[in-house]
Amino acid sequence: MDYPVNMEVEPVVKAFFDPATNTISYVVRDPGSKACAVIDSVMDIDYAAGRITYAHADEIIAYVRQENLELEWIIETHVHADHLSAAPYIQEQLGGRIGIGDKIMVVQDTFGKIFNEGTEFQRDGSQFDALFKDGDTYTIGNLEAFVMYTPGHTPACMTHVMGDAAFVGDTLFMPDGGSARADFPGGDAGTLYDSIQKVLGLPDEMRLFMCHDYGPNGRDIQWETTVGDEKAHNIHVGGGKSREEFVKMRTERDATLKMPTLIIPSLQVNMRAGEVPTDKDGNRVFKVPVNGL
Ligand SMILES: [Fe+2]
């Protein structure tokens, strides 16, 4: 298969693990310039207290400044349901364009209804600076990147390939973690299987970077693997597991999972490109739709 970018280039990838939500954010740097991208940043929330802070994002900002990098892109692999994006906070301090998959419109439509957002909430993705379509290419300095639709976990999930590194969002977990759930509104286990096959179709030696890790069976947190390793060892799809087996396993397993602790505030923020919703007086507030999810 032909890919539209040079996959020989090896970007420098710096990971930032958030223990509160088990999210891994990344700064990805063009090895030939000072240009970089931030992927899947996290804004801290104490939901019980309604308090938002920025320690995790500040760490990323400090790194970018310390290394004298120029931030070109702030990428969201999808609308996360378990943590809040810090994209606008980072953009305010470092610049860069906030990008997400164009299927964000489907997600905005679904959750716009669930949260009864009314007509002032735009469902056209206009809160973001860039909407990516399947196969779109872009650059970070001289580093070439392209995007692949990888829906299933959510309808808007995308995998970003930058040189020899791919950022898979929640399409895959580490081999011993398997895959992410596919039971959120708009999710689909069969579609997720097909998307995983697309990722596994990338070159074997390609580096894969996860958005989450939960350290299964007590191992230390990890976030980097390869296509070859996932193909051989992933507990949900490795060794050539069939679509049928996967859908059965995923559906049964998803039925046992509770909603993520932060799903209510996460969706409201992330479908707005990281902005907290406001009431009619401009105060920042979250809604909790009763029996809405
Ligand atoms: Fe997710």
Side-chain angles (χ1 to χ4, degrees):
M1 170 141 190
D2 279 347
Y3 293 102
V5 302
N6 180 355
M7 290 176 168
E8 309 276 288
V9 180
E10 296 175 20
V12 181
V13 180
K14 168 84 177 164
F16 296 83
F17 178 66
D18 175 45
T21 62
N22 286 71
T23 305
I24 301 107
S25 310
Y26 297 98
V27 174
V28 187
R29 173 180 172 180
D30 170 19
S33 75
K34 290 280 179 193
C36 73
V38 166
I39 300 179
D40 291 333
S41 64
V42 177
M43 176 163 76
D44 309 312
I45 185 167
D46 175 346
Y47 189 41
R51 186 171 308 283
I52 279 174
T53 51
Y54 299 96
H56 186 77
D58 284 340
E59 228 187 295
I60 293 175
I61 292 166
Y63 173 79
V64 171
R65 288 200 170 127
Q66 175 199 312
E67 299 289 315
N68 280 316
L69 303 180
E70 284 153 27
L71 182 59
E72 294 192 356
W73 286 98
I74 304 168
I75 303 287
E76 299 292 326
T77 55
H78 62 291
V79 171
H80 310 278
D82 61 346
H83 70 269
L84 286 62
S85 164
Y89 178 77
I90 292 174
Q91 185 179 47
E92 210 180 277
Q93 305 203 39
L94 299 175
R97 302 175 72 200
I98 303 174
I100 198 165
D102 67 340
K103 296 281 190 258
I104 178 69
M105 298 179 216
V106 178
V107 176
Q108 288 178 326
D109 195 49
T110 303
F111 293 111
K113 283 183 190 129
I114 288 174
F115 288 99
N116 192 27
E117 296 293 0
T119 47
E120 68 273 25
F121 175 61
Q122 299 290 319
R123 292 138 206 241
D124 57 2
S126 55
Q127 299 87 343
F128 295 81
D129 302 311
L131 298 178
F132 298 113
K133 287 192 180 59
D134 194 32
D136 276 357
T137 58
Y138 62 100
T139 55
I140 301 149
N142 302 315
L143 174 66
E144 297 173 322
F146 80 99
V147 286
M148 299 193 308
Y149 278 151
T150 46
H153 169 63
T154 78
C157 289
M158 291 200 117
T159 292
H160 288 252
V161 178
M162 303 175 178
D164 79 330
F167 298 84
V168 300
D170 290 357
T171 306
L172 276 167
F173 288 161
M174 290 299 287
D176 59 354
S179 60
R181 64 197 297 173
D183 62 332
F184 294 146
D188 182 78
T191 307
L192 178 58
Y193 181 87
D194 299 339
S195 293
I196 290 171
Q197 298 311 312
K198 257 168 113 172
V199 174
L200 298 184
L202 290 164
D204 272 1
E205 60 283 3
M206 174 153 279
R207 294 185 285 163
L208 297 183
F209 292 91
M210 311 295 116
C211 182
H212 290 293
D213 187 66
Y214 302 92
N217 308 310
R219 75 143 161 72
D220 289 345
I221 299 296
Q222 295 175 1
W223 46 77
E224 179 178 349
T225 179
T226 61
V227 169
D229 205 28
E230 290 281 18
K231 264 205 280 207
H233 303 299
N234 186 287
I235 55 168
H236 292 169
V237 294
K241 286 215 177 49
S242 72
R243 192 177 198 270
E244 208 181 352
E245 279 175 282
F246 177 81
V247 170
K248 183 171 184 294
M249 176 285 303
R250 194 65 267 167
T251 309
E252 283 170 8
R253 191 181 160 96
D254 287 351
T256 70
L257 301 176
K258 287 201 299 192
M259 281 294 156
T261 313
L262 297 179
I263 189 169
I264 297 273
S266 296
L267 293 171
Q268 292 174 80
V269 161
N270 296 340
M271 71 183 185
R272 293 179 166 84
E275 297 290 352
V276 179
T278 50
D279 68 12
K280 60 177 176 30
D281 300 319
N283 302 307
R284 298 194 292 170
V285 287
F286 290 115
K287 285 182 190 168
V288 181
V290 173
N291 297 340
L293 279 177

